[in-house]
Amino acid sequence: MHITVIGTGYVGLVTGTCFAETGNSVTCVDIDAQKVQSLRDKKVTIYEPGLELIFLRNIEEGRLKFTTDLAEGMREAQIVFLALPTPPGEDGSADLSYVLRAAEDLAQHIRAYVVIVDKSTVPVGTSEKVREVMHKHVSSELFDVVSNPEFLREGVAVEDFMKPDRVVVGTTSDRARKVMHKLYEPFVRQGNPIIYMDERSAEMTKYTANAYLATRISFMNEIANLCEKLGANVDAVRHGIGSDTRIGKRFLFPGIGYGGSCFPKDVSALEKMAVQSGYQFKILQAVMDVNTHQKSVLTTKLKNYFKGTLRGKCIALWGLAFKPNTDDVRDAPAIDIIHSLLAEGAEVVAFDPQGMENMRKIFPTQITYAHDMYEALTGADAFILATEWNVFRSPDFVQMRAVMRGHVIFDGRNVYSHEEMKEQGFYYESIGRP
């Protein structure tokens, strides 16, 4: 099939590359000429494990192309995916300007029937808005608008796309449904479902999934904070409830809050949709409040340890990306931690395996970026673990003690054990453990 993907950000690049991997002819369109040239030069513009291999293979075999020319991208298109940003506006609601502008532009290039697919996370009712914008320029008989939300986890996005738990397709058009079924059939050969529903329900499904997962995280962070006050161990509690099949084991790990490109934006957007509908979604407001507070927990612990002041202290920070196996620092808890440490007069030296270049765009000169994890610790009065990269899980504690000025660890991801830290001679605090 001939597929056009508009937008080469995280979702667009993964989507286009994975569709090419199953034999489709894919053209990705983006207005950023520099990014398009980098992609043409076979340089992957995001860090995502497993992506580069199939990206290079499909460029070499001619199935994956990149252009800034929308007319060129639309020339043979049977399906067009809108994979564009929907950033939060000033009030927290999703900004649809990129999506609607692209819909208006591509409508002027439609000459034969094409399926327009909202792949971006968009508010309920967006498919209707896209349809209205396009209908001004092209007959409604020449296109259908489908909602097909993505459920990609950064760090395992290629695996998620190639072997999805489910594919959600929102359409009331039999013609569009047949096209989408043909497209996705190779991805569900093991029996995982393609779930069909109306467009509004599909749009709501994406927000509901992310909001529920964010709620689990905030709930466990509240439990962790209460465990500290009551002398309970949140790890034991997590094991105790996670074995209940009604609850499950995933997204029960306490820490320093969620971040990334999806949860903060989508929870806020869903809450705003509720407000605009005249409904007060109290749980979501609490989820956001808890998450904001949780990002300050380690700084509070650190200040208490240093008797109320961090001025002049050198704090080492391992982890800048919002989660392991990505270079994405959007809404990462590390950002809040750095802001608070700098406000307290501390010096910050940071290291992350992939996220430092993106963090430099936020803190170009205010903090120091180390070449490796042990350099970041050199001369540090204390050390914060903010992202649980595998390389941080089994460090050389002897070397850490040798280079650090103060043998103090604040673990925001509960990676280490109290027993081991005591044996290694460190003062150690974590989240929700006595």
Side-chain angles (χ1 to χ4, degrees):
M1 303 181 79
H2 291 275
I3 298 170
T4 299
V5 178
I6 300 180
T8 59
Y10 185 86
V11 173
L13 188 56
V14 172
T15 296
T17 303
C18 290
F19 277 135
E21 179 69 3
T22 53
N24 298 292
S25 176
V26 179
T27 302
C28 296
V29 183
D30 202 294
I31 60 173
D32 187 334
Q34 184 176 354
K35 182 190 287 188
V36 167
Q37 190 57 52
S38 293
L39 293 166
R40 285 174 170 172
D41 292 339
K42 303 178 183 179
K43 297 176 183 176
V44 180
T45 51
I46 60 172
Y47 176 77
E48 178 61 39
L51 180 62
E52 185 174 22
L53 176 65
I54 60 174
F55 170 83
L56 294 174
R57 177 163 62 228
N58 284 283
I59 290 179
E60 291 288 344
E61 296 181 4
R63 291 192 297 265
L64 183 60
K65 300 175 183 177
F66 301 91
T67 183
T68 57
D69 186 348
L70 183 58
E72 177 187 345
M74 289 292 296
R75 195 164 293 145
E76 298 180 272
Q78 297 167 279
I79 308 174
V80 179
F81 284 86
L82 301 180
L84 294 155
T86 53
E90 292 183 6
D91 64 349
S93 59
D95 180 357
L96 287 177
S97 59
Y98 296 99
V99 172
L100 297 180
R101 193 179 308 131
E104 186 163 13
D105 291 342
L106 69 87
Q108 301 176 48
H109 299 283
I110 294 177
R111 302 292 180 266
Y113 177 76
V114 64
V115 177
I116 310 300
V117 183
D118 281 330
K119 198 66 175 171
S120 309
T121 302
V122 293
V124 175
T126 297
S127 60
E128 295 159 25
K129 293 181 180 180
V130 170
R131 189 177 295 112
E132 290 172 6
V133 166
M134 294 183 62
H135 192 236
K136 297 176 183 177
H137 305 280
V138 62
S139 169
S140 58
E141 295 180 356
L142 290 180
F143 72 94
D144 279 308
V145 180
V146 170
S147 176
N148 175 219
E150 53 84 16
F151 299 98
L152 305 178
R153 296 168 296 162
E154 293 189 40
V156 287
V158 173
E159 181 180 349
D160 282 348
F161 199 102
M162 301 303 290
K163 298 178 181 179
D165 291 335
R166 78 291 200 198
V167 175
V168 172
V169 176
T171 182
T172 52
S173 164
D174 288 338
R175 189 177 185 184
R177 174 173 174 160
K178 290 176 182 176
V179 173
M180 296 299 288
H181 188 85
K182 179 181 178 183
L183 177 66
Y184 275 111
E185 195 171 18
F187 297 91
V188 293
R189 293 187 181 278
Q190 293 181 335
N192 290 346
I194 302 176
I195 303 172
Y196 296 98
M197 59 186 72
D198 63 275
E199 295 90 338
R200 284 186 168 238
S201 295
E203 292 162 345
M204 188 65 176
T205 297
K206 169 65 176 179
Y207 279 106
T208 302
N210 280 354
Y212 176 66
L213 295 175
T215 300
R216 284 172 68 101
I217 293 170
S218 281
F219 178 79
M220 283 307 295
N221 282 333
E222 288 277 75
I223 293 296
N225 296 337
L226 184 57
C227 281
E228 289 187 11
K229 293 184 177 297
L230 297 178
N233 187 327
V234 73
D235 282 350
V237 174
R238 175 173 57 80
H239 285 297
I241 67 172
S243 57
D244 187 326
T245 55
R246 297 170 299 174
I247 296 173
K249 300 176 182 179
R250 302 177 70 176
F251 286 86
L252 294 181
F253 289 85
I256 49 177
Y258 58 76
S261 61
C262 293
F263 286 7
K265 174 176 68 71
D266 294 351
V267 172
S268 176
L270 183 57
E271 194 270 339
K272 291 302 175 187
M273 276 189 273
V275 170
Q276 292 163 5
S277 301
Y279 183 76
Q280 187 179 4
F281 209 143
K282 297 178 183 179
I283 290 177
L284 285 192
Q285 187 58 59
V287 168
M288 292 186 286
D289 290 345
V290 169
N291 196 57
T292 298
H293 170 264
Q294 201 67 20
K295 291 180 178 182
S296 67
V297 164
L298 285 190
T299 306
T300 301
K301 289 175 179 283
L302 203 59
K303 282 184 66 177
N304 289 339
Y305 176 82
F306 285 111
K307 300 183 174 17
T309 180
L310 299 178
R311 185 161 299 281
K313 300 297 182 183
C314 178
I315 309 300
L317 181 65
W318 280 2
L320 298 173
F322 84 95
K323 64 181 288 189
N325 298 320
T326 181
D327 60 355
D328 194 343
V329 300
R330 286 174 287 184
D331 276 303
I335 295 174
D336 295 76
I337 291 172
I338 292 170
H339 275 304
S340 61
L341 292 175
L342 293 176
E344 293 290 337
E347 174 191 352
V348 180
V349 183
F351 175 76
D352 187 281
Q354 295 294 334
M356 291 196 289
E357 288 308 307
N358 284 333
M359 193 61 86
R360 284 183 199 273
K361 300 171 186 176
I362 303 172
F363 300 102
T365 59
Q366 299 93 323
I367 69 174
T368 301
Y369 297 91
H371 293 96
D372 62 57
M373 53 198 279
Y374 297 107
E375 180 185 336
L377 297 175
T378 302
D381 295 292
F383 151 57
I384 291 175
L385 178 65
T387 311
E388 65 277 32
W389 285 88
N390 282 338
V391 70
F392 298 155
R393 291 184 177 276
S394 301
D396 185 336
F397 290 110
V398 174
Q399 184 175 351
M400 290 172 65
R401 278 185 54 83
V403 299
M404 292 179 71
R405 182 160 54 217
H407 303 141
V408 180
I409 296 176
F410 289 88
D411 182 354
R413 300 299 180 182
N414 289 3
V415 168
Y416 310 127
S417 72
H418 281 270
E419 293 76 13
E420 182 179 23
M421 293 302 94
K422 185 176 180 181
E423 291 174 5
Q424 296 289 348
F426 287 95
Y427 175 84
Y428 177 78
E429 286 194 44
S430 55
I431 307 294
R433 302 190 291 186

